[in-house]
């Protein structure tokens, strides 16, 4: 049963046989023209090899070849119905129209020929001459007949046919395409489920491909070359579906070629050979040459076996087909003893056999013959317009892969006599294929981005900051308080969007997912395609676009504003990123792509200072914000570090800050930051922090150099109070030293928060590795070489573990190599720096902001951060200069305690207002240091003073609160 209706497509081959007599007359009338035609073809044989034909000459040559076709192809005695089943209707129309234009006399004498001619004129308004050049048939015929006497009736026929073509051809072909879409879909579905049917139904496959190809080319040719009464008939938004099913049928033929070969090899050897042998045996007359040829046919087919297919043997029946042409020539001469016209069954059988041989060795050539659409190469504008229409219609986007697949056809339109155009056509095929795949990926990316936006909005509703209103409403409702005249409208709870009362209700998210699944079907349809020896992978286009968009989205979601110094909280960004990643993870349900690779490529780049395109990353944005905004406001006295809360907190000031420091620096936010930046990003943050510390240390060294003589004397005179007092008055920039050391302490306190958060995150993700690193660090022998120990510290620091000596700080300070200063001098400056800080501590007691607050376990002016600064700066400097860290800190403690004990004897209340709060710094320094002990402090500073100091500050705190 044919898949195509007889009403839609008459069997043109059989029609030609029925018109045997009129065609014979037509050919008789054509005889006078044959000599000039032969001369033209002979002259062209010398021209073609030189490849220097002009456009007009090429067009004329094509026209002559079309005209010459009826003399050979329309001989009823040499044709069977089978080849005509998949013969191009466009070619048939050319033969009919051109043939009757040249042999127009028969139109006045034979009604059947006239009806055939009218049918062709009513179906089209133009025919292809060469590629995108067309021949307007009505105008040409009318211009010819208007100059011939007695052809007024034919002119009227042409005008009527033209009107019919303009009025009805578009709708007729539109319905044909509609029928073919459903027919090809059914055929492709059946063959996909039962590929074994490709053998017996091969003819129907090639018929379907041929008819669909003709309708597509008809639309392409007429879309811009026909006066349209109904423009909609020439805009087919479903053309992609028809092309897609053509490609699916072609893919089935290529994939299951061996199945078809097995079937037809058995057919040729088991049936065709037997029938042909019987027909040959029944011939009454059979000359020797003809007998040898036909015997070779039988022998060739009989020798075939399925094993040849299984062994992968390459078949070649071109010789057999040439012998059949030779046999037709032998039997077509006027005095042939064996006339093929008298043995129709033999001719039909041989045509059938020839078709069967093509199913064994010429499947690719058959696909080109019946479904080549390389003409799209010359209709680029229409081609691109069809593609855009396809993407705009969600139901058709699943077929959009048909357009890049068509680009694989383009190279078949190159001509061996014009090799120089091969590169131009190849470049066009590559550029179009690339453009189509890129646009498909962009469309999918945009849909995914819209879905991600929706999901991020839903995730945002679950953030803690939105629960205040809900809690407030619940409390007010419980206490029955009136919130207003009409009452505050109750806020919808997250998740309401998932509750549906009607299955017909379609949300925007539903539409986006539907459109995405349709488009992803197309992207996932083929793993790769080869166009002009270039391999294209549609999924890689999507992967590339997802990486680019994911990168931009992550950076965009930080909402960093350089002008106002605003940025998203790390926890909110992390929530949005996770929502985004959840959507991207679901893409694997639609397309076979490795989304983990996308995550790794994008997120790892975000842990660096710049991405692969040289653009800022979230690491650089957050590092810049924390350094230039948060920590700078700490230095300005607007923010303080509260050790009890492990966070930076805004201080009450006249100019309120635009952000709440606690919301960016508490432990949950720092953990979120660590999740986002990862170990590499946190390492970059640490290095940036250390660079700022390094610049502060460089300034401190300059201040030491300015006071080097005084400090050298004070270093050895700490047990002489009067001399120390006199020397202290000669010191300059005391406040600057303390301020810079405090800044260093603040930065190190922030880094300790970041390191602790990193350790917590890594302990969650890689607990066994972190515990191994921690165990390794805790068991370094004291006698271990410092270089080896620093390597262990560097490993530990990368995992967020605290170290006795900060390796990042050591590296940062090591880079400060001053010229013309010996190592001994550098070491002396480092020692005197510690002296400078120690003797300067008493001046802090006069500062109003130096009061210790038990609630925050620190001082509002952040001087409690000095403990961390002193210990870590000393450890780093004396590691670099290979000095004894413990000895130098003992010296510092001795100088500091001596200086602080001195203020205990002061009577001026202004200079001693926060004496007890400053005393506590000594305890903090010892508690912070892995090199100092409380016993050592007790030997320098009586513990009773510390105890009384704690009592005093707590008592003062209670009094202030009251």
């Amino acid at each position: 049963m044919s898949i195509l209706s007889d009403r839609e497509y008459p069997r043109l081959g059989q029609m030609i046989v029925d018109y045997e007599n009129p065609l014979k007359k037509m050919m008789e009338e054509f005889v006078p023209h044959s000599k000039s035609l032969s001369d033209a073809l002979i002259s062209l044989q010398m021209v073609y090899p030189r490849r220097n034909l002009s456009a007009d000459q090429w067009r004329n040559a094509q026209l002559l070849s079309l005209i010459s076709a009826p003399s050979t192809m329309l001989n009823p005695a040499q044709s069977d119905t089978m080849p005509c089943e998949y013969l191009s209707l466009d070619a048939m129309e050319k033969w009919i129209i051109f043939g009757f234009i040249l042999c127009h006399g028969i139109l006045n004498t034979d009604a059947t020929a006239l009806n055939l001619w009218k049918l062709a004129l009513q179906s089209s308004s133009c025919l292809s001459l060469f590629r995108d050049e067309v021949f307007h048939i009505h105008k040409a015929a009318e211009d010819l007949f208007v100059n011939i006497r007695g052809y007024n009736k034919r002119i009227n026929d042409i005008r009527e046919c033209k009107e019919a073509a303009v009025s009805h051809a578009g709708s007729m072909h539109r319905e044909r395409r509609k029928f073919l879409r459903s027919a090809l879909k059914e055929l492709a579905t059946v063959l996909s489920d039962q590929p074994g049917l490709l053998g017996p139904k091969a003819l129907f496959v090639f018929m379907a491909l041929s008819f669909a190809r003709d309708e597509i080319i008809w639309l392409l040719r007429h879309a811009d070359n026909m006066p349209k009464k109904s423009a909609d008939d020439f805009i087919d938004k479903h053309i992609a579906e028809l092309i897609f099913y053509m490609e699916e049928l072609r893919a089935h033929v290529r994939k299951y070629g061996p199945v078809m070969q097995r079937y037809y090899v058995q057919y040729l050897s088991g049936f065709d050979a037997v029938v042909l042998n019987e027909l040959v045996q029944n011939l009454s007359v059979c000359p020797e040459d003809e007998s040898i040829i036909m015997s070779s046919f039988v022998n060739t087919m009989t020798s075939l076996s399925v094993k040849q297919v299984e062994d992968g043997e390459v078949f070649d029946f071109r010789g057999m087909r040439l012998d059949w042409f030779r046999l037709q020539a032998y039997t077509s001469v006027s005095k042939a003893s064996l006339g093929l016209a008298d043995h129709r069954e033999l001719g039909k059988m041989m045509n059938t056999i020839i078709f069967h041989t093509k199913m064994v060795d010429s499947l690719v050539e058959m696909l080109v013959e019946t479904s080549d659409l390389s003409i799209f190469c010359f209709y680029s504008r229409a081609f691109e317009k069809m593609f855009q229409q396809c993407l705009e219609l969600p139901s058709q986007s699943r077929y959009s892969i048909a357009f890049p697949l068509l680009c694989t056809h383009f190279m078949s339109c190159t001509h061996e006599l014009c090799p120089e155009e091969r590169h131009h056509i190849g470049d066009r095929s590559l550029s179009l294929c690339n453009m189509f795949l890129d646009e498909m990926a962009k469309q999918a990316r945009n849909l995914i981005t819209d879905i991600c936006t929706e999901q991020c909005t839903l995730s945002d509703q679950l953030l803690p900051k939105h629960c205040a209103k809900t809690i407030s409403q619940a409390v007010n409702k419980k206490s029955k308080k009136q919130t207003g005249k009409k009452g505050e409208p109750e806020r919808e709870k997250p998740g309401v969007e998932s509750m549906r009362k009607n299955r017909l209700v379609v949300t925007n998210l539903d539409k986006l997912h539907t459109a995405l699944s349709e488009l992803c079907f197309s992207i996932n349809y083929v793993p790769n395609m080869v166009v002009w020896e270039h391999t294209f992978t549609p999924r890689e286009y999507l992967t590339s676009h997802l990486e680019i968009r994911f990168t931009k989205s992550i950076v965009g979601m930080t909402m960093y504003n350089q002008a106002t110094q605003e940025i998203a909280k790390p926890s909110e960004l992390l929530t949005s990123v996770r929502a985004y990643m959840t959507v991207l993870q679901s893409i694997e349900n639609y397309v076979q792509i490795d989304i983990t690779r996308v995550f790794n490529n994008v997120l790892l780049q975000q842990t660096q200072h710049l991405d692969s395109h040289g653009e800022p990353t979230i690491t650089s944005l957050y590092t810049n914000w924390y350094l230039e905004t948060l920590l700078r406001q700490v230095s300005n006295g607007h923010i303080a570090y509260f050790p009890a809360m492990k966070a930076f907190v805004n201080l009450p000031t006249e100019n309120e800050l635009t952000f709440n420091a606690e919301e960016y620096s508490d432990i949950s936010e720092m953990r979120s930051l660590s999740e986002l930046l990862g170990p590499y990003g946190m390492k970059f943050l640490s290095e940036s922090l250390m660079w700022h510390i390094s610049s502060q240390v460089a300034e401190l060294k300059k201040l030491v150099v300015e006071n080097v003589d005084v400090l050298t004397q004070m270093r050895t005179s700490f047990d002489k109070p009067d001399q120390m007092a006199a020397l202290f008055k000669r010191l300059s920039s005391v406040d600057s030293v303390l301020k810079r050391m405090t800044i260093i302490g603040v930065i190190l306190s922030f880094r300790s928060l970041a390191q602790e958060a990193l350790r917590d995150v890594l302990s969650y993700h890689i607990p066994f590795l972190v515990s191994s690193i921690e165990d390794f660090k805790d068991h370094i022998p004291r006698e271990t070489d410092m270089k080896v120990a620093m390597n262990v510290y560097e490993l530990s620091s990368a995992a967020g573990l605290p170290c006795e000596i900060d390796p990042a700080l050591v590296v940062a300070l090591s880079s400060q190599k001053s010229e013309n200063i010996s190592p001994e001098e550098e070491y002396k400056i480092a020692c005197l720096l510690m002296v400078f800080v120690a003797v300067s501590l008493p001046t802090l007691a006069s500062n109003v902001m130096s009061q210790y607050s038990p609630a925050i376990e620190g001082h509002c002016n952040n001087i409690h951060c000095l403990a961390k600064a002193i210990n870590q700066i000393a450890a780093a400097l004396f590691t670099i200069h290979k000095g004894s860290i413990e000895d130098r800190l003992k010296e510092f403690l001795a100088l500091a305690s001596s200086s602080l004990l001195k203020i205990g004897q002061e009577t001026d209340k202004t200079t001693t207002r926060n004496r007890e709060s400053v005393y506590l710094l000594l305890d903090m320094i010892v508690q912070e240091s892995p090199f100092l002990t409380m016993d050592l402090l007790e030997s320098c500073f009586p513990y009773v003073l510390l105890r009384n100091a704690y009592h005093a500050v707590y008592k003062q705190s209670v009094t202030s609160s009251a």
Side-chain angles (χ1 to χ4, degrees), residues 216 220 223-224 239-240 243 247 373-390 400-410 428-429 431-433 435-436:
I216 292 170
L220 196 62
D224 296 324
I239 195 71
I243 299 172
E247 289 297 322
L373 289 171
S374 59
I375 194 172
F376 273 103
C377 179
F378 307 101
Y379 287 91
S380 298
R381 185 180 300 174
F383 197 24
E384 293 175 22
K385 185 177 180 181
M386 288 178 178
F387 174 73
Q388 292 299 332
Q389 289 173 346
C390 174
S400 56
I401 192 64
F403 292 94
L405 285 174
L406 278 187
C407 296
T408 62
H409 296 216
F410 287 5
R428 180 172 294 181
S429 66
S431 61
L432 283 174
C433 185
M435 186 270 287
F436 291 148

Side-chain angles (χ1 to χ4, degrees), residues 564-618:
T564 61
Q565 288 296 306
E566 294 177 348
I567 199 168
K569 292 194 291 184
S571 60
E572 294 182 4
L573 175 60
L574 181 61
T575 301
S576 298
V577 170
R578 283 175 172 168
Y580 211 111
M581 291 174 68
T582 301
V583 174
L584 291 181
Q585 194 76 52
S586 68
I587 303 304
E588 290 184 337
N589 299 328
Y590 303 106
V591 188
Q592 293 178 2
I593 61 174
D594 185 5
I595 204 68
T596 303
R597 193 188 83 185
V598 175
F599 292 159
N600 290 338
N601 289 348
V602 173
L603 296 178
L604 282 176
Q605 286 186 41
Q606 291 302 309
T607 66
Q608 306 301 312
H609 177 52
L610 298 173
D611 63 17
S612 58
H613 300 285
E615 297 295 325
T617 62
I618 58 173

Side-chain angles (χ1 to χ4, degrees), residues 461-642:
Q461 295 175 9
L462 298 174
L463 291 175
K465 67 180 182 180
H466 295 298
C467 70
K469 279 192 175 181
T470 303
I471 295 173
S472 176
Q473 286 179 350
V475 171
N476 291 335
K477 189 175 182 181
K478 189 174 181 179
S479 61
K480 297 182 179 179
K481 290 183 179 179
Q482 294 295 325
T483 57
K485 292 182 179 179
K486 296 183 179 180
E488 187 178 347
E490 190 169 348
R491 179 173 172 265
E492 285 189 350
K493 295 181 180 178
V496 173
E497 69 282 346
S498 300
M499 300 171 62
R500 308 197 189 193
K501 297 179 181 179
N502 189 340
R503 292 178 180 271
L504 299 178
V505 175
V506 179
T507 65
N508 185 49
L509 206 54
D510 295 333
K511 294 176 183 177
L512 291 172
H513 276 290
T514 302
L516 179 62
S517 62
E518 293 292 298
L519 187 55
C520 285
F521 170 85
S522 193
I523 294 173
N524 199 51
Y525 182 69
V526 289
N528 52 63
M529 60 184 72
V530 179
V531 179
W532 197 37
E533 299 178 356
H534 290 70
T535 302
F536 289 85
T537 307
R539 298 167 191 165
E540 286 300 316
Y541 278 80
L542 178 58
T543 300
S544 176
H545 278 287
L546 286 180
E547 288 184 6
I548 295 170
R549 178 53 61 88
F550 190 27
T551 300
K552 290 183 178 178
S553 296
I554 288 179
V555 175
M557 287 188 291
T558 61
M559 295 183 290
Y560 178 66
N561 188 324
Q562 191 171 6
T564 61
Q565 288 296 306
E566 294 177 348
I567 199 168
K569 292 194 291 184
S571 60
E572 294 182 4
L573 175 60
L574 181 61
T575 301
S576 298
V577 170
R578 283 175 172 168
Y580 211 111
M581 291 174 68
T582 301
V583 174
L584 291 181
Q585 194 76 52
S586 68
I587 303 304
E588 290 184 337
N589 299 328
Y590 303 106
V591 188
Q592 293 178 2
I593 61 174
D594 185 5
I595 204 68
T596 303
R597 193 188 83 185
V598 175
F599 292 159
N600 290 338
N601 289 348
V602 173
L603 296 178
L604 282 176
Q605 286 186 41
Q606 291 302 309
T607 66
Q608 306 301 312
H609 177 52
L610 298 173
D611 63 17
S612 58
H613 300 285
E615 297 295 325
T617 62
I618 58 173
T619 294
S620 60
L621 293 179
Y622 274 107
T623 297
N624 182 68
W625 188 86
Y626 277 106
L627 283 171
E628 300 300 328
T629 303
L630 190 143
L631 293 179
R632 187 175 293 278
Q633 293 300 332
V634 176
S635 303
N636 294 337
H638 298 152
I639 297 173
Y641 173 60
F642 286 11

Side-chain angles (χ1 to χ4, degrees), residues 91 166 239 402 528 714 829:
V166 171
I239 195 71
N528 52 63
M714 294 182 79
I829 291 174

